[in-house]
Amino acid sequence: MSRPVYSWPQTAYRPSASLLRLPNVRESPYYTRIGDGRVQCTLCHRRCVLAPGSLGACGMRFNLEGRLYTAAYGLLTAAESRPMEIKPLYHFYPGTSALTISTWGCNLPCAWCQNWHLSKVASPVGAFVPPERVVGWAVENGDSGINISFNEPTLLVEYAEDVFKLARARGLHASINTNGYLTEEAVRRLAEAGMEGMNVDIKGGRETYRRWLAADLDKLLSTARYAKSLGVHLEFTYLVIPGVNDGDAEEVLYAVASLGRETPLHITAYFPAHKLSNPPTPPELLDELWRKARRELDYVYVGNVPGHPGQHTYCPRCGYPVIRRSVDRAVKIELRDGRCPKCGYEIPVRGRPGRYGSLYRSFL
């Protein structure tokens, strides 16, 4: 097994009163005062305790004179139209696209981060975009929804609440791609604002979370169960990394299955990135895991292996491919009122299939 490597966001600023003049710096509702000017952040399960003048582990929250501020409100590092299938959210408004946004920072120290140029940087400086402009971009572009991804969307929660409320008023769906370490309070507020879907990165078993992430898998599962109880659509992604979490497949499988065998699981191939140079995931390992997982889950997918049959959605009763995909989009959707056209079995898909906007169009 590889030796754990932590990679926290690199910060290049210090909390000061001058930051309060920036439009992206706002006081956060996600904290409690605990005395001596210290505050405890309640946004994610790290629940950082911050002394005055200090930053949270994510790098984007700070204590200034006994108040917790976010430096990320509306501070965007990317804004791009992307298909739901690339997220991947296969059972959530298939055949549609979402205006996808991100900021800086992250609350997990993954050494293999694919978007490290965003998540491993913490800065209060960048492009400030008001919520109504993001929603306007989505409508203008023909997107059907708004998604927060690339870096950890937990860092944009206050902004997401405002964006999602406006999106819902315009008939747009809302979702996040998350590491799942946000608290139940954050999930509740996002759901109340209009969030309908989450893709949760499950990064391995309990020991992997402890050794590589200084985190607790059970806290992620608690948040996921709570999200499901609120009616939020859930899908999970398991990036299989040789020498890190490839021995966790059974534990991951049963963790996902504990939320119901209808819960979609995406098993995806890893490629060397950021601080980890372990070899790529062998396709034959993914194929083996896919076949095993289908015994416990109805909807299992293989990602980053072009042409694999695990790209498609099959009816659990008769095996008919009700949704066919190629690369990053749905190319044939044969659901009839949400059911298999051959045997009538109901397929759990949130939202009606639609159309893509102008894909990969960038707004920043």
Side-chain angles (χ1 to χ4, degrees):
M1 180 178 290
S2 301
R3 182 179 179 181
V5 177
Y6 285 4
S7 179
W8 295 102
Q10 298 297 307
T11 57
Y13 72 100
R14 293 182 178 181
S16 66
S18 63
L19 292 176
L20 303 184
R21 295 195 293 266
L22 298 175
N24 51 285
V25 175
R26 307 281 176 96
E27 185 175 358
S28 173
Y30 293 96
Y31 76 99
T32 57
R33 292 186 173 94
I34 58 176
D36 299 324
R38 297 177 303 152
V39 301
Q40 182 169 41
C41 180
T42 60
L43 182 65
C44 90
H45 284 300
R46 293 205 176 278
R47 298 186 183 273
C48 295
V49 174
L50 305 179
S54 62
L55 293 159
C58 64
M60 294 302 288
R61 284 164 194 267
F62 60 87
N63 178 349
L64 186 63
E65 299 180 351
R67 297 175 183 270
L68 183 72
Y69 291 89
T70 172
Y73 185 94
L75 186 70
L76 302 189
T77 53
E80 184 178 289
S81 173
R82 296 170 76 85
M84 300 314 296
E85 287 76 19
I86 204 172
K87 306 218 168 279
L89 280 164
Y90 279 9
H91 290 241
F92 186 82
Y93 293 88
T96 72
S97 58
L99 197 288
T100 306
I101 60 175
S102 67
T103 187
W104 304 111
C106 189
N107 57 347
L108 290 185
C110 306
W112 52 85
C113 183
Q114 306 293 299
N115 291 311
W116 58 271
H117 59 295
L118 302 177
S119 66
K120 302 308 178 184
V121 175
S123 170
V125 179
F128 174 73
V129 182
E132 57 272 17
R133 189 175 302 168
V134 168
V135 175
W137 283 342
V139 173
E140 167 198 327
N141 194 59
D143 295 311
S144 298
I146 304 285
N147 174 267
I148 305 180
S149 186
F150 303 133
N151 81 311
E152 175 49 43
T154 300
L155 278 299
L156 273 176
V157 161
E158 295 90 349
Y159 182 68
E161 291 176 28
D162 292 340
V163 170
F164 289 172
K165 288 173 185 176
L166 294 174
R168 180 169 56 187
R170 298 296 295 269
L172 303 175
H173 56 73
S175 61
I176 64 174
N177 280 51
T178 176
N179 59 34
Y181 221 55
L182 65 173
T183 60
E184 286 83 351
E185 178 190 1
V187 169
R188 174 182 58 79
R189 292 180 58 134
L190 286 172
E192 289 173 352
M195 180 182 72
E196 294 183 59
M198 296 169 57
N199 181 293
V200 179
D201 259 335
I202 183 166
K203 300 177 185 292
R206 288 169 178 81
E207 182 63 13
T208 294
Y209 269 82
R210 186 189 68 80
R211 294 182 73 245
W212 284 85
L213 306 173
D216 184 344
L217 173 60
D218 288 312
K219 291 179 179 179
L220 174 150
L221 295 175
S222 174
T223 289
R225 292 188 188 100
Y226 182 68
K228 183 175 181 179
S229 77
L230 297 178
V232 176
H233 172 78
L234 290 176
E235 302 190 27
F236 286 83
T237 297
Y238 170 34
L239 183 71
V240 183
I241 307 172
V244 174
N245 66 3
D246 52 335
D248 297 347
E250 185 172 337
E251 190 175 359
V252 168
L253 173 59
Y254 287 117
V256 174
S258 72
L259 284 98
R261 65 172 297 122
E262 75 284 357
T263 308
L265 172 63
H266 303 262
I267 302 172
T268 60
Y270 150 88
F271 295 94
H274 192 36
K275 294 189 175 182
L276 201 68
S277 58
N278 294 25
T281 317
E284 55 270 23
L285 173 59
L286 294 177
D287 187 68
E288 177 187 350
L289 296 180
W290 177 64
R291 296 179 188 280
K292 288 181 178 178
R294 295 179 76 197
R295 300 170 192 163
E296 304 295 333
L297 294 168
D298 289 339
Y299 306 100
V300 184
Y301 302 101
V302 173
N304 294 341
V305 182
H308 193 281
Q311 295 180 98
H312 313 306
T313 298
Y314 301 93
C315 172
R317 177 187 288 169
C318 71
Y320 186 75
V322 295
I323 303 179
R324 293 180 182 270
R325 301 177 184 84
S326 177
V327 189
D328 59 6
R329 27 201 121 171
V331 295
K332 192 172 186 180
I333 302 173
E334 295 191 64
L335 296 171
R336 294 180 183 172
D337 296 322
R339 297 181 178 274
C340 172
K342 296 295 183 182
C343 72
Y345 187 85
E346 186 174 3
I347 310 296
V349 170
R350 173 72 62 92
R352 290 182 174 274
R355 67 180 183 85
Y356 298 113
S358 300
L359 291 179
Y360 300 111
R361 179 182 173 189
S362 177
F363 292 83
L364 284 181

